[in-house]
Amino acid sequence: MTATVTVGEFSRLTHLSVKTLHHYHEIGLLAPVSVDASSGYRRYSTAQVDTAQLIRRLRELRMPLADVQAVVDAGDGVAREERLRTHLERMEQELQHTRDVVVSLRELLTPGQPVLDVEYRFIPSFRAYAVRGQVVRDEIGPWCEFAFGRLDEVAGDIRATAGATYSDEFFTDDVGEVVSFLPVAPDQAPADGVELVDLPGGYFAIAVHAGPMTDFDRTYGGLGSHVAEYCEVAPGPIRELYPIGPGDVPDPADYRTEVCWPIQRIPVTGAVGWEKNPTLKG
């Protein structure tokens, strides 16, 4: 048995403010069962309490209103369960990210900085399959999933370490060219959906970032400071190489990323600051 109540009473039943209920009515998320034509007073059914409380829970989980609408419209079917599962997985990922940031912050506030091992390496020029794009910095994760997914589709039997180049504008303007690449043989045939590019050779100062990308900026800061102190910076984009990435291991703690900073030449051994003990490789 159900009854109808005023918007004020429905607010008390559901812990949703009258203002919020009016908004949900306007956007079609939760409409009253009747609206008085002359006064505009809204009345809700007690049968709507469960729906209102579901909406409130989902909003507390920061589910976007469009997704909340889809859950409400789906009723009790498979589509509803899929929407809820997807959102809960996203919340779990955000929670893990928060934990990682907390750990990184604690390490940052701990006295003493970890020693950064810097390696100098000459990388010859090479040909590669590539996917190129103008990428907004906050969207780099989804873009990389798309780009490296496309490279995986054409890789076939190719076994090489994939990477990406990042233009200066990507860092300075929060949007710039990113080129994901997969090295191939010099005579590699073209493939649909990717470019064939020739990446130039050069000298690089290289540091390995171990683990998830939460404190990736610390590796950049340490390597960039080392380059500024002991090397001559060369023009050209920074490269990242991904010896162990998301497609290789399930645990982000096992990721390994090489950050490659372009330099003019390998510094002469014995230079001031050599106590940082970089490795020489040619």
Side-chain angles (χ1 to χ4, degrees), residues 33-56:
V33 293
S34 65
V35 180
D36 187 273
S38 58
S39 65
Y41 289 163
R42 299 167 169 88
R43 294 190 70 84
Y44 290 81
S45 168
T46 53
Q48 295 177 285
V49 170
D50 286 348
T51 300
Q53 291 176 341
L54 172 63
I55 293 170
R56 184 168 177 271

Side-chain angles (χ1 to χ4, degrees), residues 25 77 82 120 136 138-139 159 175 191 247 275 280:
H25 181 199
E82 180 64 21
Y120 298 131
V136 176
D138 287 343
E139 299 173 2
R159 296 292 179 265
V175 57
E275 64 272 10
L280 282 169

Side-chain angles (χ1 to χ4, degrees), residues 29 35 41 116 119 122 126 142 167 187 204 207 209 236 238 249 274 281:
L29 178 58
V35 180
Y41 289 163
L116 183 70
E119 169 193 327
F122 177 77
F126 59 92
S167 67
D187 58 350
F204 294 89
H209 177 83
I238 288 176
V249 292
W274 197 253
K281 287 191 178 180

Side-chain angles (χ1 to χ4, degrees), residues 4-25:
T4 62
V5 295
T6 65
V7 65
E9 185 64 19
F10 194 69
S11 173
R12 286 188 285 272
L13 292 174
T14 61
H15 286 201
L16 293 172
S17 70
V18 170
K19 180 180 179 181
T20 297
L21 290 169
H22 286 180
H23 178 59
Y24 289 170
H25 181 199

Side-chain angles (χ1 to χ4, degrees), residues 43-268:
R43 294 190 70 84
Y44 290 81
S45 168
T46 53
Q48 295 177 285
V49 170
D50 286 348
T51 300
Q53 291 176 341
L54 172 63
I55 293 170
R56 184 168 177 271
R57 295 289 191 283
L58 296 178
R59 291 298 288 156
E60 286 178 343
L61 289 175
R62 301 194 302 277
M63 179 179 279
L65 282 171
D67 290 343
V68 174
Q69 180 77 69
V71 170
V72 171
D73 291 345
D76 296 326
V78 175
R80 174 183 177 178
E81 296 300 321
E82 180 64 21
R83 287 272 183 175
L84 291 172
R85 184 186 63 79
T86 299
H87 185 70
L88 290 176
E89 288 178 353
R90 184 162 61 242
M91 291 294 297
E92 289 171 352
Q93 291 171 358
E94 291 178 1
L95 181 60
Q96 184 59 52
H97 177 71
T98 300
R99 292 193 184 106
D100 291 341
V101 172
V102 170
V103 171
S104 177
L105 179 58
R106 285 174 175 160
E107 291 177 352
L108 188 63
L109 297 176
T110 301
Q113 294 293 321
V115 176
L116 183 70
D117 291 325
V118 178
E119 169 193 327
Y120 298 131
R121 188 190 307 167
F122 177 77
I123 300 179
S125 61
F126 59 92
R127 178 158 289 187
Y129 283 148
V131 177
R132 186 190 312 266
Q134 287 289 322
V135 185
V136 176
R137 192 167 185 167
D138 287 343
E139 299 173 2
I140 187 62
W143 187 87
C144 282
E145 289 183 14
F146 154 76
F148 288 107
R150 179 166 289 182
L151 289 174
D152 285 343
E153 291 174 359
V154 300
D157 295 330
I158 298 172
R159 296 292 179 265
T161 298
T165 66
Y166 295 84
S167 67
D168 290 345
E169 292 77 16
F170 178 79
F171 300 100
T172 59
D173 302 335
D174 281 334
V175 57
E177 184 177 78
V178 179
V179 180
S180 64
F181 61 81
L182 177 68
V184 298
D187 58 350
Q188 183 69 40
D192 292 337
V194 297
E195 299 180 46
L196 265 179
V197 300
D198 292 305
L199 291 173
Y203 293 101
F204 294 89
I206 300 173
V208 176
H209 177 83
M213 301 302 183
T214 311
D215 55 355
F216 203 25
D217 57 335
R218 297 188 70 187
T219 300
Y220 263 75
L223 177 60
S225 297
H226 177 96
V227 168
E229 293 167 7
Y230 307 122
C231 307
E232 295 180 59
V233 178
I238 288 176
R239 295 182 189 178
E240 292 176 7
L241 303 177
Y242 310 113
I244 306 176
D248 304 309
V249 292
D251 188 351
D254 296 326
Y255 294 171
R256 294 294 181 270
T257 303
E258 293 185 352
V259 182
C260 308
W261 210 289
I263 57 176
Q264 295 284 1
R265 61 184 63 83
I266 293 177
V268 177

